[in-house]
Amino acid sequence: MTDRAKLPKPREVKIRVHDGAEIAVALYMPEGSGPFPVLLAASPYRYDNNDLPASPQFLWRETGPIDFYLKHGYVYAQMDVRGCGKSGGEFRFLDKNEQRDLYDVIEWLGHQPWSNGKVGGIGQSYFCMLQWWMAIQKPPSLACIAAFDGLNDPYRASVYQGGIWGDFFGSHWWNQNRIINRHPANGEHPCVQTCDLNLLLQEHPLYDDFWRERCAAERLHEIEVPLYSIGVWGKVDLHTRGNIEGFRRAKGPKKLKMIGPVNAFAANREFNSAEMHEKLLLPFYDHYLKGKETEYLKRPTVEYFVRGADAVRTAETWPPPGVRYVTWYLSGQTSGSVTSLNDGMLTRVPPQGAAKVSYSYPHPEWVMGVVGFGPNNQPDPARRVLTFTTAPLAEDLEIAGPIKLTLYASSSRNDMDFFVKLSEQMPQPPEDRTKGLNPPSYWITKGWLRASHRALDPDKSTEMEPYHSHTRAEPIAPGQIYRFDISIEPMAHRFKRGNRVRLEIVNGDSAVTDLLWTHYYLPSKIGTDTIYHSAEHPSALTLPVMEGA
């Protein structure tokens, strides 16, 4: 179901902001004379595109069910950010003007005669990215934010994951945004955006002042309004860590809920369902924007869905108490369970002697990115990558928290990339193994690092959460062994008894497996990399294991 047929025609206003630009806002008004609390949704996606169904077919329709909030006595205000839709100014991707506009619009909304003076933030993805900035700006009329599924460090979360240039924002996202602004659903008032975002982002491959200006993560400690941070485990390519860090570092009243949609499309469908808002968000808004006694304050500080267990756990902190960090070592032994470049193992026993594995790239059998095809002529993500796999698990293994991979490696080049996946591998019939078919599996979470970006920020890194500064590129010496600490995106997951934990390592990705969140494969990436797993260089995976789960 969508709210397409239910939405009333909004009242459109132009609000003059700090530098004289006029920002367009659509006001969806509830019945009655008020005063009403206001929910502000801000995005580059044009409010007149709300004529379209709120469906994963239109993935950027991330407003939530507008009509639902009108029926519950809220004004729903949707703002076109500058340079988008009907707003003036130039779009410059989260720059200081876009941030300051939020302050001016919130204060305008809070001082209208139909407003009760309280404004809350609403919306998913880019809408959520701007909610962090709403709170950082500290407009007096802002009473709370419900940050649903949104990053706050665009450099590390997406544009340069691990220092590696990614396709999403500069290519897919910007092309989509320009199209939907130039060709709105009603065909009226096309907006031509002249910014070359792809080039703009490529001009800043290091974490410099351009990124500091746009990084809300640098200022999360300034957030003092009540925060309900809701993250999606299936969005580790983009948003997941942002919601966790927003909760951990904000200073005001706060709660964290991590939910289980498996990808962006499922998350979009869930956010646009009235059922989810009635159960999850309405009690939060009713408490902080209407002063009602609701059950929101009685909820646990942290609630998190455990993938693979179909269970919800509660805690007072993230990571949850009871986590024990357990290390598995990369081994040259073979698991006999998967056809890959090496079929290595993960073992609890530290390695002895000297051992290493090398692979050359690009592999001649890569077809779609780093994905090859199996004997059944179907894409096979494991066949042409390095794998390290445990023995079948004797008991269920539940993890919840940060994950770290320590690698010792060298290259024939002066740089190398690591694309890391943690997967769950299921058993397969012996006859399929004999045929060379790979067992069924699915990836759980990912990590990335470019070798020249290996430098850690000592003030922000912890034992389990290495934090890379990305302020300079330091090429490696060909043939020299280096240590790399790679932060794999946090996760809560239960691996089932009889299945295996599998680590995958390669130097690229594929639209077959990674959909919209892929990375450019540079022409310079031709060479040989070697990973060491020896007594002297014990490469290892450390997981946050929940005791007694």
Side-chain angles (χ1 to χ4, degrees):
M1 292 183 64
T2 73
D3 57 2
R4 184 180 185 184
K6 304 175 186 176
L7 280 181
K9 185 176 178 62
R11 180 191 308 173
E12 298 184 67
V13 298
K14 292 285 185 74
I15 300 171
R16 190 174 297 276
V17 294
H18 55 100
D19 64 348
E22 290 191 325
I23 301 299
V25 178
L27 301 172
Y28 296 92
M29 305 298 294
E31 294 181 0
S33 57
F36 305 108
V38 185
L39 296 174
L40 174 60
S43 85
Y45 305 139
R46 306 193 58 128
Y47 56 70
D48 48 7
N49 278 327
N50 289 344
D51 290 341
L52 295 166
S55 157
Q57 180 66 34
F58 304 110
L59 193 58
W60 33 266
R61 276 285 282 113
E62 297 162 316
T63 61
I66 296 172
D67 188 66
F68 169 84
Y69 285 104
L70 303 185
K71 290 179 178 177
H72 284 85
Y74 288 86
V75 174
Y76 193 107
Q78 187 167 348
M79 163 187 165
D80 288 344
V81 303
R82 62 171 51 219
C84 302
K86 298 181 180 180
S87 288
E90 182 185 10
F91 179 78
R92 299 289 290 181
F93 188 62
L94 298 170
D95 72 342
K96 61 184 178 182
N97 281 323
E98 188 175 323
Q99 299 162 24
R100 177 61 190 271
D101 294 344
L102 298 167
Y103 182 104
D104 297 337
V105 170
I106 288 169
E107 285 308 290
W108 187 92
L109 293 169
H111 287 84
Q112 298 309 299
W114 38 259
S115 170
N116 74 349
K118 294 184 177 182
V119 180
I122 192 171
Q124 180 183 18
S125 194
Y126 202 104
F127 293 84
C128 179
M129 290 159 60
L130 289 177
Q131 286 190 66
W132 304 117
W133 286 112
M134 290 181 193
I136 291 167
Q137 296 289 304
K138 289 184 167 55
S141 298
L142 184 69
C144 63
I145 61 170
F148 190 102
D149 185 31
L151 63 82
N152 41 51
D153 185 341
Y155 182 96
R156 292 173 177 82
S158 179
V159 184
Y160 285 97
Q161 289 165 325
I164 304 168
W165 167 245
D167 295 4
F168 179 70
F169 268 110
S171 182
H172 169 83
W173 183 86
W174 184 234
N175 287 333
Q176 168 196 265
N177 189 265
R178 296 176 81 174
I179 289 170
I180 63 181
N181 269 276
R182 191 164 188 169
H183 303 282
N186 58 18
E188 300 175 2
H189 307 289
C191 174
V192 179
Q193 297 169 311
T194 58
C195 174
D196 187 343
L197 186 63
N198 193 295
L199 177 60
L200 182 64
L201 300 182
Q202 288 191 65
E203 289 174 337
H204 298 276
L206 298 176
Y207 188 73
D208 56 13
D209 288 342
F210 174 89
W211 291 111
R212 291 185 187 92
E213 177 181 321
R214 291 160 172 81
C215 182
E218 294 261 3
R219 301 177 61 184
L220 292 170
H221 61 278
E222 299 177 35
I223 295 177
E224 297 176 344
V225 296
L227 162 68
Y228 197 14
S229 184
I230 304 170
V232 177
W233 288 130
K235 299 287 282 292
V236 295
D237 294 280
L238 194 62
H239 292 315
T240 303
R241 188 184 292 264
N243 285 101
I244 291 173
E245 289 306 303
F247 163 76
R248 292 171 74 181
R249 294 162 59 188
K251 297 301 184 186
K254 58 188 180 180
K255 294 183 188 291
L256 173 68
K257 187 172 181 69
M258 299 301 298
I259 60 177
V262 296
N263 56 41
F265 308 98
N268 175 278
R269 187 181 300 278
E270 179 151 349
F271 188 72
N272 282 309
S273 71
E275 293 78 11
M276 189 278 285
H277 285 261
E278 184 164 27
K279 177 181 179 181
L280 201 59
L281 291 181
L282 185 62
F284 171 77
Y285 289 130
D286 276 354
H287 178 75
Y288 286 110
L289 299 179
K290 292 186 175 181
K292 288 186 175 181
E293 291 291 330
T294 71
E295 50 80 34
Y296 173 76
L297 292 183
K298 298 177 183 177
R299 293 179 186 173
T301 303
V302 175
E303 297 177 276
Y304 63 97
F305 182 81
V306 181
R307 297 177 65 184
D310 196 25
V312 176
R313 313 280 189 224
T314 63
E316 288 301 311
T317 61
W318 182 268
V323 165
R324 180 170 62 96
Y325 295 107
V326 180
T327 295
W328 280 261
Y329 296 92
L330 281 61
S331 168
Q333 301 174 55
T334 57
S335 77
S337 69
V338 59
T339 300
S340 67
L341 292 180
N342 66 317
D343 184 27
M345 287 199 73
L346 291 173
T347 71
R348 294 295 309 282
V349 180
Q352 302 295 318
K356 61 185 179 180
V357 60
S358 298
Y359 77 106
S360 298
Y361 50 84
H363 195 279
E365 292 186 38
W366 284 349
V367 178
M368 299 286 288
V370 299
V371 171
F373 278 59
N376 57 358
N377 291 318
Q378 295 298 311
D380 185 344
R383 183 165 295 272
R384 295 295 175 250
V385 306
L386 298 176
T387 63
F388 297 88
T389 311
T390 66
L393 297 173
E395 302 291 342
D396 287 356
L397 176 70
E398 185 166 313
I399 63 172
I403 303 165
K404 185 180 78 168
L405 176 65
T406 298
L407 283 182
Y408 292 89
S410 66
S411 180
S412 64
R413 302 169 52 236
N414 67 354
D415 212 343
M416 55 182 159
D417 291 342
F418 302 109
F419 287 68
V420 178
K421 289 182 181 176
L422 191 67
S423 296
E424 181 165 3
Q425 178 179 300
M426 282 70 85
Q428 69 176 150
E431 57 270 23
D432 286 351
R433 183 91 297 270
T434 302
K435 295 175 184 176
L437 296 172
N438 266 335
S441 65
Y442 59 97
W443 67 267
I444 306 302
T445 187
K446 304 178 185 179
W448 310 263
L449 183 63
R450 176 158 286 170
S452 57
H453 285 241
R454 63 193 178 277
L456 297 173
D457 184 329
D459 295 327
K460 295 181 179 179
S461 292
T462 66
E463 178 61 29
M464 275 301 296
E465 296 178 273
Y467 185 92
H468 295 90
S469 57
H470 299 296
T471 54
R472 65 188 185 278
E474 300 176 80
I476 60 175
Q480 183 172 326
I481 301 173
Y482 294 82
R483 171 175 170 153
F484 303 96
D485 293 295
I486 303 173
S487 180
I488 299 176
E489 295 300 287
M491 183 54 60
H493 181 82
R494 173 171 282 194
F495 296 87
K496 291 183 173 57
R497 179 171 61 90
N499 292 353
R500 300 172 186 250
V501 179
R502 188 172 80 201
L503 177 70
E504 302 163 21
I505 304 172
V506 69
N507 77 339
D509 50 24
S510 168
V512 173
T513 52
D514 301 278
L515 300 176
L516 305 177
W517 294 279
T518 55
H519 299 73
Y520 293 104
Y521 198 91
L522 301 180
S524 60
K525 287 169 69 167
I526 299 177
T528 299
D529 294 346
T530 301
I531 292 175
Y532 299 82
H533 40 82
S534 62
E536 185 179 2
H537 300 107
S539 296
L541 173 71
T542 304
L543 298 178
V545 176
M546 288 299 297
E547 293 291 348

